[in-house]
Amino acid sequence: MKKILRHRRHPIAHFLVLGIALLAIGFGYTLLSPSNAAVATNARSQAVEEGRQIFLKGCSSCHGLNAEGSTKAPTLLGVGAAAVDFQVGTGRMPMADAGVQAMRKKPVYNAEETAALAAYVASLSPGPAIPNAAQLNYERDGNIAQGGQLFRTNCAMCHNYAGQGGALTEGKYAPTLMGVEVKQMYEAMLTGPQSMPVFGDRALTPEQKLSIIKFLKGVDAEKGQGGFSLGKVGPVTEGLVGWVLGLGLLIGVAVWLGAKSK
Amino acid sequence: MSNSHGGHESSTELSPLSDPGLPPHVYRRADTEPAMAKKAERQVAILFGLSAISTIAFIASFVGIQKDVFIFIPLFGSTQAQQLALGFTLALSLFLIGAGAVHWAKTLMPDHEVIQERHELRSSDEDRQGVIEVFHEGAEAAGLGRRSLIKRTLLGSMGLVTLTPILFLRDMGPLPRKQLETTNWAAGRRLITDPGGIVLKAADLQVGAVAHVLPELPKGSEITLNDLVKDAVIVVRLRPEDLNLPADRKDWVHDGIIAFSKICSHMGCAVGLYEQQTHHLLCPCHQSTFDVETGAQVIFGPAARPLPQLAITVDSEGYLVAKQGFTEPVGPSFWERS
């Protein structure tokens, strides 16, 4: 012991002690900390790398090699995992052709690949995360009456008063909200895909978003209480049926009335 | 060519049309054959009978079909069975009564052509003369010509009495005064979401975000429906460099957050349809399209004026507030709008 202490003023001693201390902390942490955290970090970075590979193959031709965007497509910096999960999970991305609007179709990537892509894009720049199941319990946290009111103020002008979708300009349209997954509706409000504006967590609080979803699920489950709903799109189909069937019947009767009996 | 030319020359003389009279009456088979008449009678009876059956079916479906029974019909979708049955059977029973009556009239009731004689509707000259004489006699007896004081006071009082409805009309409600030109927006009023009533901060709106807001009123006063139709405002946020506003409105926005009256300048619908990518605001009623970048200038549709812009800023706590009230009346044109 004395032998070591004799060297305590040696110029290297400081560095040596510091090095030993750092090693001790490092090993101590690995030993004491829960081992799954390390695995999770590892898995996440692996997912990010996987996502990067998929991105380079499938997305970078439009969105740029570093997701910085191009004249063809917007930047993905800051859109968050939720936007990727929505766009890729509903099959809108990658686009089938360069139309005015990306259509919903069968997803190109499976759930695992989508998650990897989302992890990669989220790793580039912070953005809204994918909501988890606990955040999406609309049955518990939503209020259907409030949801209807919110829907009519914020959503009905594009998506139709009963969520059936509607036309926008130049061939674009707001899609129907019937049969859409809860998570996807939530993500759409959160991220504002394509023509849709963003409804942040203050403009529409998470509870309000769930209320809207609960209202839409109520509309979806509603059966025709009186007569045919005719697609619930209002005067267009009602007018068509009125003019074609109603007037057709009246004309037929008028012709019959005027015809002389043999 | 030459033939038709010749024919044209020979028909220069016009002769007056003679009354062609009625075409010969054609008898129906039911008129001439008793078997056919019997058959028509049976057909009418069947129509009436089917109507009666439909009515019974109507009653039966009212009583017998439960309200929670839904059936699916291809093309039309799911519908409540009772409502469908009620509507269908009632329509059928009413239609069949009419159809039976028409068929009866067409096949069995007499169908001989009858000429209805029409005469001039003018009264005879003697009658007309008589009325004028009676009128003159009455006027003479009442002394209308001689007693001019009575005539003038009568006309005067009758003229004056026509003014009374004007007072009644005026009394139907208060005058609108300046209500059409004013809103609850004033300097310092905070922006709260509608519905929800959350006070918005600038940081609450991301680029591409939209919020539908109302002015926060002092404690104790509530927004009424009449306020709502004037105060509704839509707030959107875009990148500050995307805005291309007139010079005098450059400081009406806060970091790309811009607010417009939500009441369409055409017919007063709520202009809520915002396309995030094109920065266009659309009115869902008549498709008037306003370009947010240039201060809601009309780029399509029947609207005649841009949407009035609300000047906004942030207060010391970071809340979005109105810088001033609207500088012009919101909503559609009205008579006295300057």
Side-chain angles (χ1 to χ4, degrees), chain A residues 73-108:
Chain A
T75 175
L76 299 182
L77 300 176
V79 299
V84 179
D85 190 55
F86 174 83
Q87 300 278 5
V88 180
T90 60
R92 288 184 165 83
M93 290 288 154
M95 284 174 88
D97 52 63
V100 289
Q101 185 164 354
M103 314 252 186
R104 191 189 176 102
K105 58 180 186 292
K106 199 173 165 295
V108 174

Side-chain angles (χ1 to χ4, degrees), chain A residues 150 153-154 157-158 168-169 172 192 194-199 202 205 208 223-225 227-228 256-257 259 261, chain B residues 70 76 78-80 83-84 99 102 106 194 196 198-199 204 208-210 212 272-278 282:
Chain A
L150 286 162
T153 314
N154 290 287
M157 44 278 190
C158 302
L168 299 177
T169 59
K172 288 170 287 189
Q194 304 188 37
S195 293
M196 180 165 161
V198 177
F199 294 93
R202 290 277 293 172
T205 63
Q208 290 179 328
K223 298 166 180 168
Q225 282 295 340
F228 300 118
W256 176 58
L257 279 173
S261 181
Chain B
F70 287 84
F76 288 96
S78 166
T79 186
Q80 198 196 323
Q83 294 292 328
L84 184 71
V102 169
K106 283 174 63 153
D194 167 53
I198 295 166
V199 190
D204 296 334
V210 58
H212 302 265
L273 205 160
Y274 176 61
E275 288 188 356
Q276 195 219 129
Q277 287 172 328
T278 55
L282 268 85

Side-chain angles (χ1 to χ4, degrees), chain B residues 248-300:
Chain B
D248 59 329
R249 289 208 223 155
K250 292 251 190 259
D251 57 346
W252 284 21
V253 295
H254 173 78
D255 201 16
I257 304 179
I258 188 167
F260 294 102
S261 165
K262 214 171 114 180
I263 315 301
C264 188
S265 58
H266 174 228
M267 297 287 264
C269 287
V271 184
L273 205 160
Y274 176 61
E275 288 188 356
Q276 195 219 129
Q277 287 172 328
T278 55
H279 305 145
H280 290 169
L281 262 174
L282 268 85
C283 180
C285 290
H286 304 103
Q287 283 71 48
S288 289
T289 307
F290 304 90
D291 187 10
V292 170
E293 293 174 14
T294 56
Q297 293 292 329
V298 183
I299 53 172
F300 179 79

Side-chain angles (χ1 to χ4, degrees), chain A residues 131-194:
Chain A
N132 59 39
Q135 287 169 280
L136 296 174
N137 194 342
Y138 67 92
E139 285 292 357
R140 186 192 62 196
D141 299 329
N143 175 333
I144 203 163
Q146 188 201 29
Q149 212 182 354
L150 286 162
F151 185 82
R152 284 186 288 276
T153 314
N154 290 287
C155 325
M157 44 278 190
C158 302
H159 286 289
N160 159 303
Y161 62 94
Q164 306 293 315
L168 299 177
T169 59
E170 291 161 8
K172 288 170 287 189
Y173 65 91
T176 174
L177 302 176
M178 298 297 101
V180 180
E181 263 180 54
V182 174
K183 186 177 75 164
Q184 289 167 352
M185 288 200 262
Y186 195 96
E187 287 168 344
M189 286 188 263
L190 200 59
T191 61
Q194 304 188 37

Side-chain angles (χ1 to χ4, degrees), chain A residues 200-222:
Chain A
D201 272 348
R202 290 277 293 172
L204 280 181
T205 63
E207 291 77 47
Q208 290 179 328
K209 288 190 177 79
L210 292 179
S211 294
I212 290 177
I213 290 171
K214 191 171 182 183
F215 167 75
L216 284 168
K217 288 293 167 197
V219 172
D220 212 351
E222 194 180 71

